[in-house]
Amino acid sequence: MRAFQLVQAQKPPELREVPVPDPGPGHVLVKVGGAGACHSDLHLMEAPTERLPKLPFTIGHENAGWVETTGPGVAGFAPGDPVIVYGPWGCGLCANCREGKENYCQKTGGLGGGLGGHDGGMAEYLLVPASRFLIPLGTLDPREAAPLSDAGLTSYHAVKRSLHLLGPGSTAVVIGVGALGQMAIQMLRALSAATTVVTVDTAADKLEIAKRMGADEALLSSDQAVTRIKDMTRQQGAQLVLDMVGIDPTLRMAAQVARVLGHLTIVGLGGGALPVNFSSPPHECSVASPYWGSIPELMEVITLAQQQKIKMLVEHFPLKRAGEAYQLLHDGKIQGRAVITPHP
């Protein structure tokens, strides 16, 4: 089969011929319908050798498809079933895994397929090590649903943990309106109708998308955006600030527009540093950097998608154009999520 693999550190991945995996006991072989191209993959491509668990490996951690075959001992799934793959593969035995929080596995750290620990889904087939990592999709198309496993789940978890702050008259700010930011807007709309959603980005076209997805206000990133948010909130700041970028300028802005006793949540992997002193962020403003979400939360995300309350903006590419898709992602020319479709 064909697989898009990272072969050398800090070199572009290559399309290679590799054997189709043979599922062993408890394993499930998935025929890949869609594999999302994520900014995290770009970070992998730029990482030095010592930060990569093994080489070569197939990238792609946002995956959905159809069950191809199952290994001995697998129950509840049959060939042809449409499924989405939960991304962080934990040990299944530690306290966090027992609660479904395999993203915070105490043994593996939640590394899954496509991130170096195991081969990912940017290939014709994906070997999933346990059926608990599969969620039935029902009527959802795997080629459209694949990004829900990360962009959808990560945004959902980041919003859900702060819902107790988002009562009537509250404000949430989403900084960065790429795929995760677009999902965060929809999650805020679906879970907290009482909240005013403000988005900030450097690209006017992405702000137009934000408005279509339910943002109440869309602001170009600038000092004027900070002033506008402060004015909207009577100088108090927002109850929730989601930084989907995570670079120095966005983190500075996030600290400026957060409020006392609010939440400042860093989702983006930009590598910036949050300025922290006695008065910044505001007093008792909690700062968190959540990682993905839990298995039960992915089930909730799929339910929202089935109810048509959320939908990812998707652009499809065949497997042979995976490199092109990543270049467009790097250049900021993908408006939603690029999804690689090995089986058109």
Side-chain angles (χ1 to χ4, degrees), residues 93-259:
L93 299 174
C94 71
N96 290 345
C97 284
R98 293 289 191 176
E99 294 180 358
K101 301 173 183 176
E102 304 220 12
N103 50 319
Y104 297 132
C105 176
Q106 294 163 304
K107 183 176 180 180
T108 69
L111 282 179
L115 294 174
H118 303 266
D119 285 327
M122 209 151 285
E124 295 178 72
Y125 295 93
L126 167 65
L127 185 65
V128 180
S131 61
R132 72 177 185 275
F133 298 133
L134 300 180
I135 309 298
L137 280 175
T139 59
L140 296 179
D141 185 340
R143 290 163 290 202
E144 301 292 328
L148 297 176
S149 64
D150 182 8
L153 176 58
T154 298
S155 299
Y156 180 80
H157 177 70
V159 170
K160 184 180 177 183
R161 64 182 296 277
S162 301
L163 282 180
H164 63 286
L165 299 178
L166 302 179
S170 62
T171 300
V173 175
V174 179
I175 302 175
V177 196
L180 271 77
Q182 293 167 17
M183 291 305 300
I185 296 165
Q186 296 179 71
M187 298 301 180
L188 286 161
R189 288 275 75 100
L191 302 179
S192 178
T195 300
T196 297
V197 179
V198 181
T199 57
V200 181
D201 202 286
T202 57
D205 59 338
K206 290 184 178 179
L207 292 174
E208 287 300 319
I209 293 171
K211 290 179 183 177
R212 296 201 301 268
M213 290 187 167
D216 297 292
E217 188 125 5
L219 306 172
L220 281 171
S221 183
S222 64
D223 291 341
Q224 287 72 29
V226 173
T227 300
R228 174 61 180 151
I229 294 168
K230 297 291 279 187
D231 288 345
M232 291 175 63
T233 58
R234 299 182 177 86
Q235 305 306 311
Q236 297 301 301
Q239 280 81 359
L240 171 62
V241 181
L242 296 166
D243 186 347
M244 318 305 281
V245 184
I247 59 177
D248 287 344
T250 60
L251 288 168
R252 283 196 299 270
M253 175 180 287
Q256 288 176 291
V257 300
R259 75 161 54 196

